[in-house]
Amino acid sequence: MSAHKMMGFIFLVVYMCFFIPVQQARIDGPTISDLSFKNMDFAMNLYRKISTYHDKNIFFSPLSISTSFAALLMASDGVTHTEILKGINLDELERADQPDLLPKLFQLLNENITQNGSLKLDQGMALFIHTQFEAENLFQDQIKMFFDADIKAIDFSNTKGSISLINEYIKQKTNGKVTEMISTLDEMTQLMLINTIFFQGTWKMPFNPNFTYNAPFYIDNYSVVQVPMMFKDDKFYMMDDVPLGAKVLKLPYLEGVSMLILLPNKGMDYTEIDEEITAERFSSWIRKLRKVKLEVNMPKFKMEQSYSLHDLLPDMGMGSVFSNSANLTKLSKNERLKVSEVLHKAVIDVDETGTTAAAATTIGITSYSLPKTFTINRPFFFFIYHENTNCMLFMGRVIDPTKN
Ligand SMILES: *[C@@H]1O[C@H](CO)[C@@H](O)[C@H](O)[C@H]1NC(C)=O
Ligand SMILES: *[C@@H]1O[C@H](CO)[C@@H](O)[C@H](O)[C@H]1NC(C)=O
Ligand SMILES: *[C@@H]1O[C@H](CO)[C@@H](O)[C@H](O)[C@H]1NC(C)=O
Ligand SMILES: *[C@@H]1O[C@H](CO)[C@@H](O)[C@H](O)[C@H]1NC(C)=O
Ligand SMILES: *[C@@H]1O[C@H](CO)[C@@H](O)[C@H](O)[C@H]1NC(C)=O
């Protein structure tokens, strides 16, 4: 078998809109690995929250969402600050005497992940501020320093013009992948925070498009769809989580990022597995992976998901930032501001492309006899993470690969 191709595109946008209701640092202690670990639990909690709303495909970027809220942390004070800190699961990392610690950690993490110039992970943050509105200089400086944010003045009362300006900005930041991020805008909007992330990964061990074939994918006992199934026969890292009733497969990209597939065993209800996914368990999967000769059958898939986080996050303890009791006094002293909208949009496209490369080192041995084939023909979970830091860049669930 010779070189086959596989490529993944992922892009997403988190945007927050704020409006007024009518009335440097040295790091001691926490490391970027601690931050990644905490982020992962936040990701799993958010995932469970989303999955209680529907049983469809799910896809989002925990890193992008956490980064957006880390910026909001610097704007907030009092109860709002505490709620956000707890909500994104970072309360144990904060040090009262080092207010810059968390933003600095996010900055270091982002630098670590993108260190290797060939990894195409672009995170960008922008703050659109109403021309009439004055944001505190300290906040503007911090968001620029730690998140390298673009700060732009915009006249939100011209809603049409603002929408096209913002959509154009997002389109440019996502290499044309997200074109119509917003279609409506409240003319009372005073401030909008936008975070975008764009990832392009190339499989270390690409699939040969010549071997892609049509095969059934069993959504549940009653529904079957036909999907283009990619095929690859090689050595892969996998493990069998017997107590959980699922198997784990690692598909590495070039440049230190991997996709981890979690495939519930035949007959297992994926909604039961939902509950069991934690950062601890994720770490144990990674430790117990071992290299085996395997025939992998994996569906090509594409999906686009949008979430209104302002509907989900109050359920996770972050209520006040969206209410009239929001305390965003570090953003502005003289105005009563709240966050009106947080929209998260993520798109993924998993396809064939790439070059061949060697696999990494072996970790751990399990005594289970592992199957010779790994056929992803039923609902599965996937996680795209940065290996050095275990930072979760994206996570998702595929119930029906034909639905995007
Ligand atoms: C796919 O098949 C075509 C036609 O047989 C061949 O020319 C090509 O090299 C094959 N591609 C790969 C990646 O093996
Ligand atoms: C915001 O929080 C700070 C610190 O707790 C407090 O001093 C201030 O009064 C609060 N402001 C508002 C508008 O709630
Ligand atoms: C990134 O972080 C990991 C884990 O802390 C560390 O081992 C690695 O050396 C860091 N890499 C760079 C380039 O900073
Ligand atoms: C699907 O079929 C299996 C085996 O026949 C059965 O155990 C399971 O309960 C069924 N699931 C549903 C959701 O009907
Ligand atoms: C980037 O990562 C690859 C694979 O891990 C490695 O071979 C290469 O030396 C790295 N390049 C830099 C500039 O760090």
Side-chain angles (χ1 to χ4, degrees), residues 129-225:
I129 303 181
H130 196 292
T131 42
Q132 300 288 301
F133 180 72
E134 282 207 25
E136 290 289 302
N137 286 334
L138 179 63
F139 176 73
Q140 295 205 32
D141 291 349
Q142 284 179 328
I143 195 169
K144 183 115 195 83
M145 173 162 62
F146 295 118
F147 300 100
D148 195 21
D150 289 334
I151 299 168
K152 294 176 191 300
I154 187 170
D155 180 7
F156 286 109
S157 64
N158 171 4
T159 49
K160 271 223 169 72
S162 302
I163 290 170
S164 78
L165 207 133
I166 289 161
N167 282 340
E168 188 52 42
Y169 177 86
I170 292 170
K171 184 177 162 193
Q172 190 206 324
K173 283 285 182 180
T174 58
N175 291 6
K177 302 293 176 193
V178 177
T179 50
E180 303 273 301
M181 180 68 191
I182 56 172
S183 52
T184 57
L185 187 65
D186 194 307
E187 60 186 13
M188 295 205 338
T189 301
Q190 297 296 316
L191 195 145
M192 192 178 279
L193 179 71
I194 294 176
N195 191 51
T196 56
I197 187 167
F198 178 81
F199 168 75
Q200 185 176 341
T202 307
W203 293 137
K204 213 170 202 170
M205 299 184 289
F207 294 82
N208 186 341
N210 288 351
F211 296 160
T212 300
Y213 62 103
N214 279 324
F217 186 96
Y218 304 92
I219 296 170
D220 55 37
N221 284 358
Y222 315 104
S223 335
V224 184
V225 289

Side-chain angles (χ1 to χ4, degrees), residues 251-264:
L251 297 173
Y253 293 99
L254 293 173
E255 317 310 347
V257 175
S258 283
M259 180 186 278
L260 207 71
I261 306 266
L262 175 67
L263 179 68

Side-chain angles (χ1 to χ4, degrees), residues 100 116 176 195-196 200 204 211 228 236 242 290 315 370 398:
D100 289 347
N116 198 316
N195 191 51
T196 56
Q200 185 176 341
K204 213 170 202 170
F211 296 160
F236 290 91
V242 175
R290 71 153 165 133
D315 267 5
L370 293 165
V398 179

Side-chain angles (χ1 to χ4, degrees), residues 76-80 325-329 333 335-336:
S76 63
D77 205 350
V79 174
T80 303
S325 62
N327 188 333
L328 294 167
T329 45
K333 281 204 173 53
E335 304 282 6
R336 287 195 58 208

